[in-house]
């Protein structure tokens, strides 16, 4: 796909829609600003509202490669930035004639040839512009965040042996966070901020319909209504958008003609995934649905 | 800055800067770099689309959900006032109400408003707010005070968040109007009333700073158990990391003499290597007393659940509930992992209400002291949750002082805003002499308290 350089907010909104992502009010605007201003975007919101999906959609729409860095506790520079390929260096030293002096060998083995590029380095050094996704930044510790600052504001990385590596192209950077930890002010200051929340009924209905166009509108509407209701309950893990889509697919596979109490009981484990949550949902939502025909409205094979 | 034409006071740059000043005044931290970002962002979006203009500013200036909420409020207030100020200067009048206000069918209006709120259409709500004001202005019910008028109009329209079963089937009010919509409609009413007032007096009233109530996110933690659990999850994580920070700061506090001597054997009795005592994370013993009388019901549910969720973070936690008498409920919480069932069990068997059902602090202190006197020691922490409203009974702060003297630290959490303290029968001042009192009705305030609780012993947190 040829790279796209959007010139208006509408173009971004349409583009995202064309690759299967329905952006909310501010999503398209902030994405557009990100491509124009070259600022990283910090995307926050509850789990499962499509934060990671946004990065993927952006990369598809912009025709850029997606470079993803999944964060976790204990992630360090060697895994995120670069590492010296130490085995290759050893081999090189062994292959050198024993007469070569240290200076010559040193110059030799600290070259780009021996550098293992990790996601951040890949994103910076890529000759084509990329979309860089730094996923779940809140899982890392503050030291890692501090290390990111140089990268995010100047798009460059300092390697002691080689000097500075500067970005050849401007990547679009997205950082996602589930808000499990307060991020530092310094990081926030460098980013545009986008808060993604659960969509409203109409928006979610559109999303579900986009992913399962074969499902009848009435079932889809009922399904979205139930999911929204379930989210209101006090659950350990409220259902995400991805799970409503999964549920819609499951209903489609089962050939359900209506979403009645029985179908709901049998399939609700798609959206509710905790033992205690299951009980709560069954007691609060399940009982209000109409009981299906005795032989079951859903034909199961 | 890229644009050097900030000289004329009404230029957009100057306006924006005073807008950010106002945001800063409400506690949103905005750096110069963010201001520059805002200008850069505005260069990329069309200014005549209100939503885009606003989102571009929000993305660059407001960087958390809380800040975003303050941003929304300040944005509305600022640009509303700016527009009105301009209108006063230019002498633009929108006209007062409608000529045929008397002919408005109030019943039809009520239903139309309720319908608009269910549909959530902003424009319709605004138009209907003006109609409603006109209709009620016609009936001569205006009091001149905007807050009072808003509530009067709302009531006479029959709009409530709770379900109202006396309305006929199909009326949108029967199920109750969504709370958020109701709030928005009230906002529209307020704005239209303000506009009318500005047009009459031809000047702007002084700007009103945001109150804590405006600021708190809709459906604040006190009402919403799910939100409480989210807060608790965050607090737990913070408590966990806070221990680490403490260890860092006070790392070299105590030399372990015995282990140092043992290690010195390797070097011929010279203590070359010092051994330190490991610093254990603080796990104080907690005694929690919670008022469960009707005046503080919602708050006590909130606090009890928080404290019990924090159970793991403390070595020992004993909970008491009280109204007129005191009753220990520690085992209830240990037995019942589900909070709702636990609170039911408490209200059923605790037997704390005697005759009147009003809190009797004097008696509670005496009973508490006799029950736990032997267990209290300087490493124990006593936490009291209550509004300190004695209902005219003797506060017995001397007994409370005795408890505070025996325990290491004593905290008081008052679910009332500080504004109401010591008014009426509230005697918090008498108790505050012996303990640290916190006002505690938002999640942030609760966090301040948890910080103090997890902080070093003996240090009184600054207030």
């Amino acid at each position: 796909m040829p790279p796209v350089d959007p010139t208006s907010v509408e173009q971004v909104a349409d583009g995202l829609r064309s690759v299967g992502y329905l952006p909310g009010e501010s999503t398209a605007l902030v994405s557009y600003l990100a491509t124009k201003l070259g600022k990283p975007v910090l995307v926050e919101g509850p789990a499962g509202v499509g934060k990671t999906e946004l990065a993927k959609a952006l990369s598809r729409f912009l025709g850029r490669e997606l470079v993803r860095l999944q964060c976790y506790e204990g992630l360090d520079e060697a895994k995120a930035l670069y590492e010296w390929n130490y085995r290759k260096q050893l081999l090189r030293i062994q292959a050198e004639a024993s007469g070569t002096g240290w200076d010559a060998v040193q110059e030799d083995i600290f070259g780009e040839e021996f550098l293992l590029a990790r996601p951040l380095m890949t994103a910076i050094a890529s000759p084509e512009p990329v979309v860089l996704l730094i996923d779940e930044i809140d899982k890392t510790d503050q030291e890692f965040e501090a290390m990111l600052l140089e990268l995010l504001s100047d798009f460059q990385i300092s390697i002691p042996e080689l000097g500075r590596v500067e970005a050849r192209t401007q990547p679009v950077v997205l950082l996602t966070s589930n808000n499990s930890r307060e991020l530092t002010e310094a990081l926030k200051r460098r980013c545009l901020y986008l808060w993604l929340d659960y969509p409203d009924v109409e928006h979610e209905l559109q999303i579900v319909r986009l992913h399962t166009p074969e499902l009848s509108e009435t079932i889809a509407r009922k399904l979205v209504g139930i999911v929204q209701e379930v989210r209101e309950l006090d659950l350990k893990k409220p259902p995400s958008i991805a799970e409503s889509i999964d549920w819609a697919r499951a209903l489609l596979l089962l050939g359900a003609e209506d979403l009645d109490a029985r179908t709901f009981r049998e399939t609700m484990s798609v959206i509710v995934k905790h033992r205690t949550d299951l009980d709560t949902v069954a007691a609060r939502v399940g009982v209000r649905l109409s009981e299906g025909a005795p032989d079951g409205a859903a034909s199961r094979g | 800055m890229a644009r050097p034409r900030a000289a004329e006071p009404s230029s957009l740059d100057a306006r924006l800067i005073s807008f950010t000043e106002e945001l800063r005044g409400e506690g949103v931290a905005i750096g110069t770099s963010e201001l520059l970002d805002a200008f850069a962002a505005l260069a990329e979006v069309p200014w005549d689309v209100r939503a885009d203009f606003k989102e571009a500013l929000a993305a660059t200036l407001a960087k958390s959900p809380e800040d975003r909420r303050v941003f929304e409020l300040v944005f509305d207030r600022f640009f509303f006032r700016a527009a009105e100020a301009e209108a006063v200067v230019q002498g633009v009048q929108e006209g007062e109400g409608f000529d045929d206000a008397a002919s408005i069918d109030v019943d039809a209006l009520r239903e139309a408003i309720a319908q608009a709120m269910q549909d959530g259409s902003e424009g319709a709500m605004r138009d209907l707010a003006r109609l409603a004001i006109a209709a009620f202005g016609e009936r001569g019910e205006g009091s001149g005070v905007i807050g009072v008028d808003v509530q009067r109009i709302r009531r006479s329209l029959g709009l409530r968040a709770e379900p109202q079963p006396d309305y006929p089937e199909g009326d949108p009010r029967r199920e109750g109007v969504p709370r958020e919509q109701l709030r928005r409609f009230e906002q529209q009413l307020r704005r239209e009333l303000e506009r009318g007032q500005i047009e009459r007096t031809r000047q702007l009233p002084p700007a009103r700073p945001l109150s804590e109530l405006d600021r708190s996110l809709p459906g604040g933690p006190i009402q919403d158990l799910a939100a409480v659990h989210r807060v608790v999850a965050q607090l737990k994580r913070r408590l966990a990391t806070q221990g680490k920070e403490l260890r860092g700061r006070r790392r070299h506090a105590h030399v372990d003499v015995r282990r140092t001597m043992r290690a010195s054997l390797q070097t011929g009795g010279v203590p070359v290597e010092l051994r330190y005592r490991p610093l254990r994370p603080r796990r104080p013993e907690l005694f929690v007393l919670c008022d469960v009388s009707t005046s503080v019901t919602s708050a006590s549910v909130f606090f009890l659940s928080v404290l019990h969720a924090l159970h793991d973070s403390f070595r020992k936690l004993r909970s008491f509930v009280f109204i007129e008498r005191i009753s220990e409920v520690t085992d209830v919480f240990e037995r019942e992992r589900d909070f709702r069932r636990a609170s039911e069990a408490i209200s059923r068997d605790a037997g704390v209400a005697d005759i009147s059902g009003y809190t009797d602090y004097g008696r509670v202190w005496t009973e508490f002291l006799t029950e736990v006197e032997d267990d209290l020691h300087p490493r124990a922490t006593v936490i009291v949750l209550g509004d300190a409203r004695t209902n005219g009974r003797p506060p017995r702060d001397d007994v409370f002082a005795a408890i505070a003297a025996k325990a290491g630290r004593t905290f008081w959490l008052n679910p009332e805003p500080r504004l109401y303290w010591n008014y009426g029968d509230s005697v918090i001042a008498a108790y505050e002499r012996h303990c640290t009192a916190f006002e505690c009705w938002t999640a942030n305030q609760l966090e301040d308290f948890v910080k103090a609780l997890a902080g070093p012993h003996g240090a009184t947190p600054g207030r």
Side-chain angles (χ1 to χ4, degrees), chain B residues 202-434:
Chain B
R202 305 190 52 77
Q203 62 180 6
L204 284 181
R208 192 174 55 96
L210 300 179
S211 70
E212 278 291 328
L213 280 174
D214 294 333
R215 232 173 250 274
S216 58
L217 295 166
I222 310 253
Q223 291 101 44
D224 185 357
L225 264 182
V228 170
H229 289 306
R230 274 197 292 282
V231 171
V232 168
Q234 249 173 32
L235 289 181
K236 266 186 158 170
R237 224 170 280 122
R238 282 200 191 148
L239 270 183
T241 52
Q242 209 157 35
K244 272 185 208 153
E245 279 165 25
L246 263 185
R247 237 169 291 161
R249 192 153 23 100
R250 312 182 357 193
R251 193 180 303 148
H252 301 296
H254 298 288
V255 172
D256 187 334
V257 179
R258 204 187 64 80
R259 283 181 56 222
T260 307
M261 297 305 277
R262 183 83 182 79
S264 74
L265 289 181
Q266 284 185 337
T267 46
V270 183
V272 174
E273 212 178 312
L274 288 181
R275 292 297 165 95
Y276 301 99
R277 232 176 258 167
L279 248 165
R280 311 235 178 270
R282 163 158 310 290
R283 290 180 189 281
E285 266 180 40
L286 290 190
F287 293 86
V288 181
L289 286 106
C290 187
D291 187 348
V292 288
S293 67
T294 43
S295 62
V296 288
T297 319
S298 62
S300 55
V301 169
F302 171 56
F303 284 111
L304 273 181
S305 69
V306 166
L307 286 165
H308 261 270
L310 292 176
H311 204 260
D312 320 332
S313 308
F314 301 103
R315 188 149 53 104
K316 201 170 163 193
L317 174 65
R318 286 178 68 183
S319 323
F320 299 84
V321 291
F322 66 86
I323 298 178
E324 292 186 283
R325 320 188 39 146
I326 194 161
S327 164
E328 182 159 1
V329 291
T330 313
D331 52 332
V332 178
F333 274 108
E334 265 158 25
R335 212 172 47 229
E336 298 284 0
R337 297 312 297 172
D338 180 37
F339 183 77
R340 250 181 272 261
R341 237 172 289 157
S343 62
E344 268 166 35
I346 287 173
S347 54
R348 202 173 49 240
D349 342 300
V352 281
D354 221 12
I355 307 149
S356 60
Y358 293 123
T359 323
D360 184 349
Y361 280 94
R363 184 161 166 198
V364 166
W365 302 142
T366 325
E367 285 186 5
F368 178 68
L369 195 60
T370 41
E371 196 162 328
V372 300
E373 185 161 27
D374 300 334
D375 296 337
L376 280 179
H377 54 84
R379 283 189 58 82
T381 301
V382 175
I383 300 169
V384 182
L385 164 81
D387 52 5
R389 295 201 174 270
T390 54
N391 306 300
R393 292 167 171 171
R396 294 300 302 273
D397 47 321
D398 52 321
V399 189
F400 184 72
I403 296 172
K406 282 206 172 259
R409 296 181 300 177
T410 313
F411 295 112
W412 192 297
L413 299 181
N414 196 330
E416 287 184 343
R418 203 171 271 272
L419 196 63
Y420 304 138
W421 291 15
N422 300 315
Y423 276 95
D425 54 353
S426 165
V427 291
I428 183 89
Y431 298 129
E432 206 178 353
R433 278 199 291 276
H434 310 292

Side-chain angles (χ1 to χ4, degrees), chain B residues 56 78 80 91 107 142 158 193 195 201 204 211 400 416 426 441 443 454 458:
Chain B
F78 182 86
F80 170 71
D107 282 320
L193 283 168
R195 197 195 300 279
T201 56
L204 284 181
S211 70
F400 184 72
E416 287 184 343
S426 165
W441 48 282

Side-chain angles (χ1 to χ4, degrees), chain A residues 49 77 95 99 103 136-137 144 154 169 191 247 256 269:
Chain A
V49 290
E77 293 176 35
D103 285 343
E136 308 199 345
I137 175 80
F144 185 78
D154 303 334
T169 53
C191 298
W247 196 24
S269 55

Side-chain angles (χ1 to χ4, degrees), chain A residues 264-279:
Chain A
F264 179 71
R265 260 201 311 279
E266 280 162 4
T267 55
M268 74 177 175
S269 55
V270 180
I271 55 164
V272 188
K273 303 193 171 156
H274 270 282
R275 179 87 207 95
T276 46
D277 286 359
L278 279 172
D279 294 344

Side-chain angles (χ1 to χ4, degrees), chain A residues 26 32 39 180 188 191 193, chain B residues 37 44 55 59 63 65 237:
Chain A
S26 48
Y32 171 69
K39 284 253 162 198
S180 74
K188 283 189 170 177
C191 298
Y193 185 83
Chain B
D37 286 350
E44 302 289 344
E55 289 298 335
K63 310 236 164 136
R237 224 170 280 122

Side-chain angles (χ1 to χ4, degrees), chain A residues 9-10 25-26 29-30 32-33 36-37 39 44 179-182 185 188-193 195 233-234, chain B residues 29 31 33-34 37 40-41 44-45 52 55-56 58-60 62-65 225-226 229 234 237-238 340:
Chain A
V9 182
E10 288 74 42
E25 295 170 26
S26 48
L29 182 98
V30 176
Y32 171 69
L33 286 180
K36 280 289 158 199
L37 303 181
K39 284 253 162 198
E44 283 195 310
N179 216 0
S180 74
R181 169 172 77 80
E182 194 70 33
E185 283 295 316
K188 283 189 170 177
R189 207 171 309 128
R190 283 165 175 79
C191 298
L192 300 174
Y193 185 83
W195 171 263
L233 300 175
D234 171 23
Chain B
S33 68
E34 280 157 323
D37 286 350
E44 302 289 344
V45 299
D52 284 0
E55 289 298 335
T60 46
K63 310 236 164 136
S64 69
L225 264 182
H229 289 306
Q234 249 173 32
R237 224 170 280 122
R238 282 200 191 148
R340 250 181 272 261

